[in-house]
Amino acid sequence: MKTWATIGRALRNEQRCALVSIVEARGSAPREPGARMVVLEDGSFAGTIGGGTLEWQAIARARDALAKGGADGDAPPVGLERMALGPDLGQCCGGSVRILLEVFTPGRSAEVQALTLAESEGLFATEGRIAGRRVERTILDRAPDGGEDSALAADGRLLERFGAQKQVLALIGAGHVGRAVILALAPLDFSVTWIDPRDDGFPSVVPGDVRTVVAAAPAAELDAAPDGAFVLVMSHSHALDFDVVHAALRARRFGYVGLIGSASKKARFVSRMRQAGLGEGDIARLVCPIGIDGIESKQPAVIAASVVADLLRRRDAMAVAAQSAEASSR
């Protein structure tokens, strides 16, 4: 969910709305700090703070807050409440969360528009303070790396991060499996460059974070991909597959290089890469077959689910490694 775009749409329609955010989580909790939802007066909402009784109670509190006051700018004070999941909500989780509840009225449209613009440009952060009926936020010059997406400091400062750090993926191949992968990735934090040499290879409509590229030499398109990008190869041609895989491994700068195919296909590719002079360390980085173990179906949607699950696992492992390296450097 794009938080500020969602709030902005409500305000443009002259609707009040409430932003519910988790700013602290202790123990076993359904979501992490920075989980958010936007609730409208009719009870409809976007986003989630974890579902279940916690979310149901949060929606009820948001609707109650929205019902208070009426004149533009007459929002109730910002609410800050700790909820113990066991004693307060009867949930089996043993943790607790701290919920921030803020009502937005159409009079704050200009402020929300500035935040929406920042959100449209990618990951950004704000520093704010609770000031009666609102949180006064200042957009920071740089979003901090790592840490939580929302934190209430001991001195009362509210540090929030919005948007998402999207994992860049170069996907080569617009066949049945490639299309299924695109659909599986659509709701996730991936920015995809989808490459195929065929003019008619792509569907007429693609998700918003997907850029299609028609290229006779897909391997050359990897030059534009940033360091740490993922490369997933599943074209209609084994010759094209080999060119892309060889280029990606030789570059030594991608976080993942995956090739659709069987163990025998991998063996043939490995033999050819050795003949082409690629070192064993580079060859060992090739992932083939792709996906997670234990799923045997060849249906495109099933393959896509397996592959995307593995991409998520690898993305998270990279993030943890990067945070550990950063902590060690300090």
Side-chain angles (χ1 to χ4, degrees):
M1 176 188 70
K2 290 190 175 181
T3 301
W4 297 109
T6 303
I7 293 172
R9 280 194 298 271
L11 301 189
R12 285 195 300 274
N13 291 328
E14 295 298 315
Q15 291 181 293
R16 293 150 61 91
C17 63
L19 174 61
V20 181
S21 308
I22 294 181
V23 296
E24 182 184 280
R26 295 181 180 179
S28 179
R31 286 295 303 272
E32 69 287 346
R36 303 179 179 97
M37 62 191 305
V38 176
V39 182
L40 301 182
E41 292 177 280
D42 63 3
S44 60
F45 63 93
T48 177
I49 58 169
T53 304
L54 170 65
E55 189 161 281
W56 178 70
Q57 291 281 4
I59 292 170
R61 285 165 167 74
R63 294 190 71 183
D64 182 63
L66 286 165
K68 295 176 180 177
D72 187 29
D74 189 17
V78 173
L80 189 61
E81 180 181 2
R82 186 180 303 281
M83 302 171 76
L85 301 178
D88 296 337
L89 303 178
Q91 295 190 247
C92 296
C93 302
S96 67
V97 295
R98 206 171 184 189
I99 300 291
L100 182 77
L101 195 161
E102 181 183 9
V103 170
F104 286 81
T105 63
R108 296 180 66 181
S109 293
E111 170 194 349
V112 170
Q113 186 176 4
L115 292 163
T116 302
L117 177 60
E119 185 178 54
S120 70
E121 295 174 350
L123 187 69
F124 79 103
T126 63
E127 179 177 301
R129 286 188 179 275
I130 298 173
R133 301 177 186 275
R134 63 196 297 166
V135 176
E136 296 180 346
R137 294 178 175 87
T138 300
I139 298 174
L140 301 178
D141 292 335
R142 179 179 179 275
D145 297 325
E148 298 172 335
D149 283 346
S150 186
L152 189 61
D155 61 3
R157 288 180 301 131
L158 178 63
L159 302 174
E160 298 174 289
R161 184 164 46 201
F162 298 94
Q165 189 71 54
K166 295 184 182 293
Q167 173 63 50
V168 175
L169 169 68
L171 173 61
I172 291 81
H176 294 301
V177 178
R179 292 182 180 218
V181 168
I182 288 294
L183 292 177
L185 288 171
L188 304 174
D189 293 328
F190 281 77
S191 177
V192 184
T193 299
W194 195 8
I195 306 165
D196 195 280
R198 298 167 294 184
D199 290 335
D200 59 351
F202 301 108
S204 57
V205 178
V206 298
D209 286 325
V210 175
R211 181 175 67 95
T212 59
V213 176
V214 177
E221 300 300 317
L222 298 182
D223 291 343
D227 293 351
F230 287 178
V231 179
L232 182 56
V233 185
M234 47 180 65
S235 83
H236 66 289
S237 161
H238 283 199
L240 285 178
D241 285 353
F242 180 82
D243 289 344
V244 177
V245 166
H246 184 262
L249 294 175
R250 187 179 57 198
R252 299 179 181 175
R253 64 186 187 85
F254 297 115
Y256 164 88
V257 180
L259 169 68
I260 195 169
S262 63
S264 60
K265 180 178 179 180
K266 180 180 181 180
R268 290 196 296 271
F269 272 47
V270 166
S271 176
R272 289 185 60 191
M273 285 187 285
R274 284 176 178 149
Q275 293 173 10
L278 206 61
E280 294 299 321
D282 294 326
I283 293 173
R285 294 178 47 247
L286 175 63
V287 178
C288 180
I290 53 177
I292 59 176
D293 294 334
I295 297 179
E296 303 299 331
S297 173
K298 304 302 183 186
Q299 295 181 36
V302 176
I303 296 172
S306 173
V307 169
V308 171
D310 187 44
L311 294 180
L312 290 169
R313 181 170 58 184
R314 293 174 185 275
R315 182 200 66 181
D316 290 351
M318 281 178 51
V320 170
Q323 290 175 12
S324 298
E326 183 181 353
S328 298
S329 68
R330 297 198 196 103

